[in-house]
Amino acid sequence: MNILIIGSGGREHTLAWKLKQSALCDQLFIAPGNAGTALVGSNVPLAATDFEGLTAFCLANKIDMLVVGPEDPLVKGIYDYFKANPLTAAIHVIGPSKEASKLEGSKAYAKAFMDRHQIPTAAYREFDTTNFNEGVNYIKSHSLPIVLKADGLAAGKGVIICASHDEALVEFEQMIQQSKFGESSKRVVIEQFLEGIELSMFVLTDGKNYVLLPEAKDYKRIGTGDKGLNTGGMGAVSPVPFVDDAFMQKVVKTIIEPTVKGLLDEKLDYKGIVFVGLINVKGEPMVIEYNCRLGDPETEVIIPRIENDLVEIFLATAQQRLHEITIKTSPMAAVTVVAVSGGYPNEYVTGKEILGLDEVALSGTIVFHSGTKQAGTKVLTNGGRVLAVTSTGTTISEAVTQSNQVLEKIDFDGIYFRDDIGYEFK
Ligand code: AMP
Ligand code: GLY
């Protein structure tokens, strides 16, 4: 089977690494990929949202399966685009339809879906220019802190947690009246603040059946001890030690089963990942958000723990045979530590040479590339998040130590990583 992965981050490198291990995988392509994906497959210089270019490539290279990494092409309807064309309709697209991708693409849509299916989540109201004044009054009488969410995709920046009513009123005005996040914030969801530990759950569904992939916790803040600015993710661990059987059963019963049943009842075409961002509020799981794809850097810890053949699982997804699959998960702990460019998540420079990659090749640790590019024989930095260094161990502590040691041997100008990933679980 010929497979094309769409995307260019650590998530896609991890998917490429895993898919390539399958006997079912013949040719593997990644569009556009990075210097890491080029080690496992062939990079294709096409953007993730260049549907026309991707179609032509799939036809010319007899692609059988398209695995979509990021949300952008999904929300823009890549699934429907391929299904609508008789020449590409038979290609297995791993990812939901445009309508179903609204679970990530529109916060208001996701909240209404959860309401319809009685899935526990924060209380909310949605506002736009037509009921702006009502929104102002709603904020004034809202308990603190207040969570404001731009309805649409905003590159991870669309959620603002306001400590005071005045701050919330200013943000609300900027989002709706001044389009702070463009079209995305013309509609705003205002919701109750939930307090607790967050975790990421990954459900692979074929629209009827589902399997649970390992859970993970990511570390979003730039600084040690979870201080400082929010980032795309500085590291992740799997499993998450506080997730015991009792908690998991609650998650399955109150969130996962109603979510999958909701997709089926509403006839949403969904053959892909439902990433449920959860918060554990005093032992009760509540949904913070849905995403329609795998998380990054969570993928870098959950995929290495899956012992099944990933091509087989994806094929079963596309053919609505997921009831035939049992996920086998390694009992080992996996940890990834992300090395970022100096200055990230604010401004940073790219094009710095990465040294030491060859030296760590035999360490047993996997160095996934997040933002890199090949330039002749050199590998250069090409993003804020540069590498995701994954180790496994019998404990989280052991795996973190291993990743940190490997990162000590890697260098590029301005390299920074958090050495305390998984600190609460040591
Ligand atoms: P999202 O873009 O929906 O992932 O939200 C970004 C982050 O904002 C989440 O990972 C949470 O840390 C935080 N967040 C979102 N909604 C809430 C909420 N209702 N209560 C507390 N924190 C929240
Ligand atoms: N790590 C969170 C995300 O991928 O959205």
Side-chain angles (χ1 to χ4, degrees), residues 27-56:
Q27 294 205 74
L28 179 66
F29 300 96
I30 309 92
N34 61 37
T37 60
L39 300 171
V40 241
S42 308
N43 286 349
V44 181
L46 288 169
T49 50
D50 178 1
F51 294 175
E52 229 176 280
L54 292 166
T55 299

PDB file of all heavy atoms in Angstrom, residues 27-56:
ATOM      1  N   GLN A  27       5.325   2.260  -0.562  1.00  0.00           N
ATOM      2  CA  GLN A  27       5.974   3.571  -0.622  1.00  0.00           C
ATOM      3  C   GLN A  27       5.340   4.516   0.392  1.00  0.00           C
ATOM      4  O   GLN A  27       4.117   4.540   0.555  1.00  0.00           O
ATOM      5  CB  GLN A  27       5.819   4.132  -2.015  1.00  0.00           C
ATOM      6  CG  GLN A  27       6.566   3.303  -3.030  1.00  0.00           C
ATOM      7  CD  GLN A  27       6.902   4.166  -4.215  1.00  0.00           C
ATOM      8  OE1 GLN A  27       7.780   5.017  -4.162  1.00  0.00           O
ATOM      9  NE2 GLN A  27       6.173   3.951  -5.278  1.00  0.00           N
ATOM     10  N   LEU A  28       6.187   5.310   1.039  1.00  0.00           N
ATOM     11  CA  LEU A  28       5.698   6.265   2.036  1.00  0.00           C
ATOM     12  C   LEU A  28       6.156   7.663   1.649  1.00  0.00           C
ATOM     13  O   LEU A  28       7.345   7.895   1.420  1.00  0.00           O
ATOM     14  CB  LEU A  28       6.241   5.897   3.424  1.00  0.00           C
ATOM     15  CG  LEU A  28       5.834   6.833   4.558  1.00  0.00           C
ATOM     16  CD1 LEU A  28       4.324   6.768   4.825  1.00  0.00           C
ATOM     17  CD2 LEU A  28       6.585   6.487   5.851  1.00  0.00           C
ATOM     18  N   PHE A  29       5.179   8.567   1.569  1.00  0.00           N
ATOM     19  CA  PHE A  29       5.473   9.966   1.223  1.00  0.00           C
ATOM     20  C   PHE A  29       4.956  10.878   2.326  1.00  0.00           C
ATOM     21  O   PHE A  29       3.975  10.549   3.003  1.00  0.00           O
ATOM     22  CB  PHE A  29       4.778  10.345  -0.086  1.00  0.00           C
ATOM     23  CG  PHE A  29       5.192   9.512  -1.264  1.00  0.00           C
ATOM     24  CD1 PHE A  29       4.435   8.407  -1.652  1.00  0.00           C
ATOM     25  CD2 PHE A  29       6.332   9.836  -1.991  1.00  0.00           C
ATOM     26  CE1 PHE A  29       4.810   7.636  -2.740  1.00  0.00           C
ATOM     27  CE2 PHE A  29       6.712   9.066  -3.087  1.00  0.00           C
ATOM     28  CZ  PHE A  29       5.946   7.963  -3.465  1.00  0.00           C
ATOM     29  N   ILE A  30       5.608  12.030   2.461  1.00  0.00           N
ATOM     30  CA  ILE A  30       5.167  13.012   3.446  1.00  0.00           C
ATOM     31  C   ILE A  30       5.148  14.380   2.769  1.00  0.00           C
ATOM     32  O   ILE A  30       6.139  14.801   2.178  1.00  0.00           O
ATOM     33  CB  ILE A  30       6.081  13.065   4.691  1.00  0.00           C
ATOM     34  CG1 ILE A  30       6.290  11.659   5.262  1.00  0.00           C
ATOM     35  CG2 ILE A  30       5.481  13.969   5.767  1.00  0.00           C
ATOM     36  CD1 ILE A  30       7.492  10.906   4.759  1.00  0.00           C
ATOM     37  N   ALA A  31       4.015  15.069   2.857  1.00  0.00           N
ATOM     38  CA  ALA A  31       3.896  16.394   2.245  1.00  0.00           C
ATOM     39  C   ALA A  31       3.580  17.444   3.303  1.00  0.00           C
ATOM     40  O   ALA A  31       2.535  17.333   3.927  1.00  0.00           O
ATOM     41  CB  ALA A  31       2.792  16.386   1.186  1.00  0.00           C
ATOM     42  N   PRO A  32       4.397  18.461   3.547  1.00  0.00           N
ATOM     43  CA  PRO A  32       5.714  18.614   2.950  1.00  0.00           C
ATOM     44  C   PRO A  32       6.816  17.895   3.725  1.00  0.00           C
ATOM     45  O   PRO A  32       7.907  17.741   3.203  1.00  0.00           O
ATOM     46  CB  PRO A  32       5.927  20.129   2.993  1.00  0.00           C
ATOM     47  CG  PRO A  32       5.159  20.593   4.178  1.00  0.00           C
ATOM     48  CD  PRO A  32       3.986  19.657   4.321  1.00  0.00           C
ATOM     49  N   GLY A  33       6.558  17.468   4.953  1.00  0.00           N
ATOM     50  CA  GLY A  33       7.578  16.753   5.724  1.00  0.00           C
ATOM     51  C   GLY A  33       8.688  17.650   6.248  1.00  0.00           C
ATOM     52  O   GLY A  33       8.602  18.889   6.186  1.00  0.00           O
ATOM     53  N   ASN A  34       9.713  17.019   6.813  1.00  0.00           N
ATOM     54  CA  ASN A  34      10.879  17.759   7.319  1.00  0.00           C
ATOM     55  C   ASN A  34      12.106  16.850   7.199  1.00  0.00           C
ATOM     56  O   ASN A  34      12.019  15.769   6.609  1.00  0.00           O
ATOM     57  CB  ASN A  34      10.627  18.234   8.765  1.00  0.00           C
ATOM     58  CG  ASN A  34      10.378  17.077   9.745  1.00  0.00           C
ATOM     59  OD1 ASN A  34      10.996  16.012   9.642  1.00  0.00           O
ATOM     60  ND2 ASN A  34       9.488  17.287  10.697  1.00  0.00           N
ATOM     61  N   ALA A  35      13.232  17.286   7.766  1.00  0.00           N
ATOM     62  CA  ALA A  35      14.462  16.482   7.606  1.00  0.00           C
ATOM     63  C   ALA A  35      14.336  15.113   8.272  1.00  0.00           C
ATOM     64  O   ALA A  35      14.991  14.158   7.862  1.00  0.00           O
ATOM     65  CB  ALA A  35      15.651  17.243   8.194  1.00  0.00           C
ATOM     66  N   GLY A  36      13.477  15.002   9.277  1.00  0.00           N
ATOM     67  CA  GLY A  36      13.282  13.724   9.963  1.00  0.00           C
ATOM     68  C   GLY A  36      12.433  12.772   9.135  1.00  0.00           C
ATOM     69  O   GLY A  36      12.747  11.589   9.014  1.00  0.00           O
ATOM     70  N   THR A  37      11.351  13.280   8.561  1.00  0.00           N
ATOM     71  CA  THR A  37      10.477  12.404   7.765  1.00  0.00           C
ATOM     72  C   THR A  37      11.225  11.885   6.539  1.00  0.00           C
ATOM     73  O   THR A  37      10.957  10.785   6.067  1.00  0.00           O
ATOM     74  CB  THR A  37       9.187  13.129   7.325  1.00  0.00           C
ATOM     75  OG1 THR A  37       9.542  14.268   6.528  1.00  0.00           O
ATOM     76  CG2 THR A  37       8.361  13.594   8.503  1.00  0.00           C
ATOM     77  N   ALA A  38      12.203  12.678   6.060  1.00  0.00           N
ATOM     78  CA  ALA A  38      12.988  12.260   4.886  1.00  0.00           C
ATOM     79  C   ALA A  38      13.850  11.037   5.188  1.00  0.00           C
ATOM     80  O   ALA A  38      14.305  10.346   4.280  1.00  0.00           O
ATOM     81  CB  ALA A  38      13.864  13.418   4.404  1.00  0.00           C
ATOM     82  N   LEU A  39      14.051  10.747   6.475  1.00  0.00           N
ATOM     83  CA  LEU A  39      14.834   9.560   6.854  1.00  0.00           C
ATOM     84  C   LEU A  39      13.996   8.289   6.730  1.00  0.00           C
ATOM     85  O   LEU A  39      14.534   7.191   6.635  1.00  0.00           O
ATOM     86  CB  LEU A  39      15.332   9.682   8.306  1.00  0.00           C
ATOM     87  CG  LEU A  39      16.242  10.864   8.636  1.00  0.00           C
ATOM     88  CD1 LEU A  39      16.457  10.966  10.141  1.00  0.00           C
ATOM     89  CD2 LEU A  39      17.575  10.709   7.916  1.00  0.00           C
ATOM     90  N   VAL A  40      12.681   8.427   6.772  1.00  0.00           N
ATOM     91  CA  VAL A  40      11.797   7.241   6.721  1.00  0.00           C
ATOM     92  C   VAL A  40      11.019   7.108   5.418  1.00  0.00           C
ATOM     93  O   VAL A  40      10.571   6.025   5.067  1.00  0.00           O
ATOM     94  CB  VAL A  40      10.771   7.219   7.886  1.00  0.00           C
ATOM     95  CG1 VAL A  40      10.963   6.012   8.733  1.00  0.00           C
ATOM     96  CG2 VAL A  40      10.763   8.467   8.709  1.00  0.00           C
ATOM     97  N   GLY A  41      10.798   8.233   4.747  1.00  0.00           N
ATOM     98  CA  GLY A  41      10.035   8.199   3.504  1.00  0.00           C
ATOM     99  C   GLY A  41      10.529   9.290   2.578  1.00  0.00           C
ATOM    100  O   GLY A  41      11.610   9.841   2.783  1.00  0.00           O
ATOM    101  N   SER A  42       9.728   9.604   1.569  1.00  0.00           N
ATOM    102  CA  SER A  42      10.128  10.665   0.630  1.00  0.00           C
ATOM    103  C   SER A  42       9.276  11.896   0.855  1.00  0.00           C
ATOM    104  O   SER A  42       8.034  11.811   0.888  1.00  0.00           O
ATOM    105  CB  SER A  42       9.900  10.192  -0.817  1.00  0.00           C
ATOM    106  OG  SER A  42      10.527   8.946  -1.009  1.00  0.00           O
ATOM    107  N   ASN A  43       9.925  13.019   1.016  1.00  0.00           N
ATOM    108  CA  ASN A  43       9.191  14.269   1.165  1.00  0.00           C
ATOM    109  C   ASN A  43       8.683  14.762  -0.185  1.00  0.00           C
ATOM    110  O   ASN A  43       9.331  14.571  -1.211  1.00  0.00           O
ATOM    111  CB  ASN A  43      10.091  15.346   1.778  1.00  0.00           C
ATOM    112  CG  ASN A  43      10.330  15.109   3.262  1.00  0.00           C
ATOM    113  OD1 ASN A  43       9.674  14.275   3.877  1.00  0.00           O
ATOM    114  ND2 ASN A  43      11.270  15.847   3.822  1.00  0.00           N
ATOM    115  N   VAL A  44       7.533  15.397  -0.141  1.00  0.00           N
ATOM    116  CA  VAL A  44       6.909  15.929  -1.351  1.00  0.00           C
ATOM    117  C   VAL A  44       6.667  17.417  -1.107  1.00  0.00           C
ATOM    118  O   VAL A  44       6.019  17.764  -0.119  1.00  0.00           O
ATOM    119  CB  VAL A  44       5.544  15.236  -1.588  1.00  0.00           C
ATOM    120  CG1 VAL A  44       4.898  15.746  -2.849  1.00  0.00           C
ATOM    121  CG2 VAL A  44       5.701  13.726  -1.611  1.00  0.00           C
ATOM    122  N   PRO A  45       7.200  18.287  -1.954  1.00  0.00           N
ATOM    123  CA  PRO A  45       7.070  19.730  -1.674  1.00  0.00           C
ATOM    124  C   PRO A  45       5.674  20.275  -1.982  1.00  0.00           C
ATOM    125  O   PRO A  45       5.497  21.091  -2.891  1.00  0.00           O
ATOM    126  CB  PRO A  45       8.135  20.352  -2.586  1.00  0.00           C
ATOM    127  CG  PRO A  45       8.289  19.388  -3.711  1.00  0.00           C
ATOM    128  CD  PRO A  45       7.976  18.025  -3.177  1.00  0.00           C
ATOM    129  N   LEU A  46       4.698  19.823  -1.243  1.00  0.00           N
ATOM    130  CA  LEU A  46       3.328  20.320  -1.418  1.00  0.00           C
ATOM    131  C   LEU A  46       2.788  20.741  -0.060  1.00  0.00           C
ATOM    132  O   LEU A  46       3.000  20.046   0.935  1.00  0.00           O
ATOM    133  CB  LEU A  46       2.427  19.226  -1.982  1.00  0.00           C
ATOM    134  CG  LEU A  46       2.613  18.836  -3.450  1.00  0.00           C
ATOM    135  CD1 LEU A  46       1.824  17.567  -3.758  1.00  0.00           C
ATOM    136  CD2 LEU A  46       2.178  19.980  -4.368  1.00  0.00           C
ATOM    137  N   ALA A  47       2.063  21.865  -0.041  1.00  0.00           N
ATOM    138  CA  ALA A  47       1.489  22.345   1.218  1.00  0.00           C
ATOM    139  C   ALA A  47       0.315  21.456   1.616  1.00  0.00           C
ATOM    140  O   ALA A  47      -0.352  20.865   0.764  1.00  0.00           O
ATOM    141  CB  ALA A  47       1.020  23.781   1.051  1.00  0.00           C
ATOM    142  N   ALA A  48       0.081  21.403   2.936  1.00  0.00           N
ATOM    143  CA  ALA A  48      -0.985  20.546   3.482  1.00  0.00           C
ATOM    144  C   ALA A  48      -2.366  20.937   2.962  1.00  0.00           C
ATOM    145  O   ALA A  48      -3.295  20.126   2.976  1.00  0.00           O
ATOM    146  CB  ALA A  48      -0.961  20.608   5.004  1.00  0.00           C
ATOM    147  N   THR A  49      -2.532  22.157   2.513  1.00  0.00           N
ATOM    148  CA  THR A  49      -3.851  22.600   2.045  1.00  0.00           C
ATOM    149  C   THR A  49      -3.911  22.761   0.526  1.00  0.00           C
ATOM    150  O   THR A  49      -4.879  23.296  -0.007  1.00  0.00           O
ATOM    151  CB  THR A  49      -4.238  23.935   2.712  1.00  0.00           C
ATOM    152  OG1 THR A  49      -3.140  24.842   2.556  1.00  0.00           O
ATOM    153  CG2 THR A  49      -4.529  23.762   4.191  1.00  0.00           C
ATOM    154  N   ASP A  50      -2.897  22.292  -0.168  1.00  0.00           N
ATOM    155  CA  ASP A  50      -2.898  22.352  -1.639  1.00  0.00           C
ATOM    156  C   ASP A  50      -3.634  21.106  -2.169  1.00  0.00           C
ATOM    157  O   ASP A  50      -3.026  20.153  -2.658  1.00  0.00           O
ATOM    158  CB  ASP A  50      -1.444  22.390  -2.148  1.00  0.00           C
ATOM    159  CG  ASP A  50      -1.358  22.412  -3.667  1.00  0.00           C
ATOM    160  OD1 ASP A  50      -2.415  22.424  -4.339  1.00  0.00           O
ATOM    161  OD2 ASP A  50      -0.222  22.405  -4.187  1.00  0.00           O
ATOM    162  N   PHE A  51      -4.961  21.141  -2.081  1.00  0.00           N
ATOM    163  CA  PHE A  51      -5.762  19.948  -2.395  1.00  0.00           C
ATOM    164  C   PHE A  51      -5.565  19.510  -3.851  1.00  0.00           C
ATOM    165  O   PHE A  51      -5.514  18.315  -4.138  1.00  0.00           O
ATOM    166  CB  PHE A  51      -7.250  20.191  -2.131  1.00  0.00           C
ATOM    167  CG  PHE A  51      -7.590  20.404  -0.671  1.00  0.00           C
ATOM    168  CD1 PHE A  51      -8.886  20.737  -0.279  1.00  0.00           C
ATOM    169  CD2 PHE A  51      -6.625  20.256   0.328  1.00  0.00           C
ATOM    170  CE1 PHE A  51      -9.208  20.926   1.056  1.00  0.00           C
ATOM    171  CE2 PHE A  51      -6.936  20.449   1.671  1.00  0.00           C
ATOM    172  CZ  PHE A  51      -8.241  20.790   2.033  1.00  0.00           C
ATOM    173  N   GLU A  52      -5.472  20.506  -4.726  1.00  0.00           N
ATOM    174  CA  GLU A  52      -5.297  20.185  -6.145  1.00  0.00           C
ATOM    175  C   GLU A  52      -3.976  19.460  -6.383  1.00  0.00           C
ATOM    176  O   GLU A  52      -3.922  18.420  -7.038  1.00  0.00           O
ATOM    177  CB  GLU A  52      -5.290  21.493  -6.940  1.00  0.00           C
ATOM    178  CG  GLU A  52      -6.206  21.496  -8.128  1.00  0.00           C
ATOM    179  CD  GLU A  52      -6.189  22.866  -8.779  1.00  0.00           C
ATOM    180  OE1 GLU A  52      -6.882  23.765  -8.251  1.00  0.00           O
ATOM    181  OE2 GLU A  52      -5.463  23.029  -9.772  1.00  0.00           O
ATOM    182  N   GLY A  53      -2.917  20.032  -5.828  1.00  0.00           N
ATOM    183  CA  GLY A  53      -1.583  19.439  -5.960  1.00  0.00           C
ATOM    184  C   GLY A  53      -1.523  18.053  -5.336  1.00  0.00           C
ATOM    185  O   GLY A  53      -0.940  17.126  -5.892  1.00  0.00           O
ATOM    186  N   LEU A  54      -2.157  17.908  -4.169  1.00  0.00           N
ATOM    187  CA  LEU A  54      -2.148  16.614  -3.477  1.00  0.00           C
ATOM    188  C   LEU A  54      -2.913  15.565  -4.290  1.00  0.00           C
ATOM    189  O   LEU A  54      -2.500  14.411  -4.383  1.00  0.00           O
ATOM    190  CB  LEU A  54      -2.745  16.755  -2.070  1.00  0.00           C
ATOM    191  CG  LEU A  54      -1.902  17.583  -1.084  1.00  0.00           C
ATOM    192  CD1 LEU A  54      -2.706  17.958   0.158  1.00  0.00           C
ATOM    193  CD2 LEU A  54      -0.631  16.821  -0.671  1.00  0.00           C
ATOM    194  N   THR A  55      -4.012  15.994  -4.907  1.00  0.00           N
ATOM    195  CA  THR A  55      -4.797  15.074  -5.748  1.00  0.00           C
ATOM    196  C   THR A  55      -3.932  14.575  -6.905  1.00  0.00           C
ATOM    197  O   THR A  55      -3.858  13.359  -7.167  1.00  0.00           O
ATOM    198  CB  THR A  55      -6.046  15.799  -6.305  1.00  0.00           C
ATOM    199  OG1 THR A  55      -6.842  16.216  -5.202  1.00  0.00           O
ATOM    200  CG2 THR A  55      -6.864  14.891  -7.206  1.00  0.00           C
ATOM    201  N   ALA A  56      -3.285  15.503  -7.589  1.00  0.00           N
ATOM    202  CA  ALA A  56      -2.449  15.127  -8.742  1.00  0.00           C
ATOM    203  C   ALA A  56      -1.339  14.179  -8.296  1.00  0.00           C
ATOM    204  O   ALA A  56      -1.058  13.173  -8.957  1.00  0.00           O
ATOM    205  CB  ALA A  56      -1.859  16.386  -9.379  1.00  0.00           C
TER     206      ALA A  56
END
